[in-house]
Amino acid sequence: MIHDNPWPRTLRRWCYGLALAGLIGWGLGLAAEALALALALGLLWQFRYIARLEYWLRKDSRFEPPHGRGLWEDIFDGIYRMQRRHRTRRRRLGALLHAFRESVDAVPDGVLVLDEGGEMRWWNDAAERLIGVRWPQDRGRRLDNLYRHPEMVNFMASEPDESRNLAVPAPLDPELMLDIRLVPYGESQRLLIARDITRLRKLEEMRRDFVANVSHELRTPLTVVHGLAETLAEPENGLSEPDRDMLGLVLQQTRRMNRLVDDLLMLSRLETGPRPAAGEVVDVADMLRALAEEAQALSGARAHQIELQIDSERGLRADANELRSAFSNLVHNAVHYTPAGGRVTLQWQCDAQGARFSVIDTGIGIAPQHIPRLTERFYRVDRGRSTATGGTGLGLAIVKHILGRYDAHLEIRSTLGEGSRFCCHFPPEAVTPES
C-alpha cells in the first residue's frame, strides 16, 4: 500500500529535468530539440521500468520485485505487498476449505452441491458410497442422468423444499434405502442430502408386521370370548344379577378390544397398502349430510346442536371408505368431548388453494402442549376420560395416515374451555372441478 502520494514529487522531478534541458538547449540555440530529446529519454526510462514490471508479472511474481526508483519503486513495493497479502489469504482460505471438506467427509450422510441446472459441483465421500458418483469423472454431470429412478427424477424437477423428503432405493444397491432432501441455498444453488435409512425401514417393517400379526392373532380368541359371554348372558340361562354384571363387563371390554384390533389392522393397511386410485369421485356434501345425522343420533339425550355449512358441491378424488373413516373420526370425537347442549359445526369449503373440511366444537378444548402429539398412536390427553368414552387412542393417527395418502394434512387449533377446530386441508389436484 502506498501511504504517501508520490505524484507531486514525480511531477517536480519531471519539471526540473525539462527546465534544465530547456535551459541547456536555449544556451545552445536548440531549445526545441533539447526538450524533445529530454522527453524521449524520459519515455525510454519509463519503458524500461514497464518492461521490468511485465517480465516480473509474466515470469514469476513470487520472487522479489525488481529494483526501481521514484514512482516505480512505490509501484513495485505496493504490488509486492498486495501479492503477499493475497497469498496469505489464499493459504488461510485453503486451510479453511480443507478443514471444511474433511469435516463434511466425516459426516455419514451423503452431501452433494448442485447448481441451478442440477449439475453436480462437489460431493463428500459418503455420497460416492451411497449414490455411486465418482470424482472427478462425474463432476458437471446432471444428477438425474445418473440417478434415473422415476420418483427421484420428479423430485429433482420440483421446487426445492427442506421440509420435503423422498425415500428411494440406492442406485447401486436396491436393498439400501435412502432418504433424500433438497435444501436451497445461495443464488439458485441446492444442497442434496442423502441419508441411509435402511435399518430404520427394516425396524419399521418389523414393527408393522408385529402389530398386524398380533392383531390377527387376537381377533380369534376375542371373537370366541365375546361369543361365549353373549351366550352365557342370555336370560334363559338363569344367571344371577352379579353374574350378568360381570358378563356385561366382559362384553364391554371385548367390544373395545375388537375396536382396537380393527383400528390397528386399518393402520397397518394404510401404512403398507398402495395409494388408492385417483379416479373415484366422492360426493363430500352428501357424505357430510349423512355424518351430521349420525352425529345427532350419537348425541342422543345430550342434545348437541349439529350445524352443517356446505359452501361448495365440489367433491374429492379419493377412496370413499377411507374418507368417511377420517371424517367420522373427527365428528365422533367432537361429539364425545363436547358437553351436553354444546355446538358441533361441520364445514366444507373450496377455493383456488384447494378444499377444507373443518369440525368446530364448543367442547372442553386442548392444552397447547398436547396438540403436537395428538396424532401419535395411543396418545391421550386425559387417559381416564378417553377410556370412559370407549376410544382406542388411534383415531387421529388413522386420520393423519388417510390424509397423507392424498397429500392432505390436518391442522388443529384449540383453546381450553372454549373448544377446538380440526381442519383437513386438501390440495387443488384432489378436488373435482366445478360442474
Side-chain angles (χ1 to χ4, degrees), residues 51 53-61:
L53 175 62
E54 186 276 334
Y55 180 80
W56 178 46
L57 296 177
R58 175 166 51 88
K59 283 297 185 181
D60 192 350
S61 60

Side-chain angles (χ1 to χ4, degrees), residues 248-361:
L249 183 61
V250 172
L251 289 171
Q252 177 187 352
Q253 293 303 317
T254 53
R255 280 193 292 266
R256 182 169 176 270
M257 287 297 295
N258 274 316
R259 286 194 298 271
L260 178 60
V261 169
D262 290 339
D263 286 350
L264 285 172
L265 290 174
M266 185 172 188
L267 266 178
S268 178
R269 181 179 62 81
L270 291 172
E271 290 176 336
T272 58
R275 295 183 62 163
E280 183 178 0
V281 175
V282 179
D283 188 342
V284 177
D286 187 60
M287 179 183 292
L288 296 187
R289 294 184 186 100
L291 287 176
E293 294 178 1
E294 288 183 12
Q296 197 67 67
L298 182 63
S299 173
R302 292 191 295 163
H304 291 98
Q305 303 174 39
I306 309 298
E307 296 183 4
L308 188 59
Q309 299 176 2
I310 299 176
D311 297 341
S312 174
E313 292 295 327
R314 297 170 67 182
L316 290 173
R317 294 184 178 91
D319 182 274
N321 292 328
E322 290 184 1
L323 206 62
R324 184 182 180 87
S325 176
F327 288 0
S328 63
N329 261 306
L330 297 177
V331 174
H332 292 175
N333 282 348
V335 174
H336 282 310
Y337 294 104
T338 300
R343 185 174 64 255
V344 176
T345 304
L346 280 60
Q347 286 184 348
W348 175 244
Q349 302 167 312
C350 298
D351 54 28
Q353 284 71 45
R356 294 176 300 280
F357 168 65
S358 303
V359 179
I360 308 166
D361 63 59

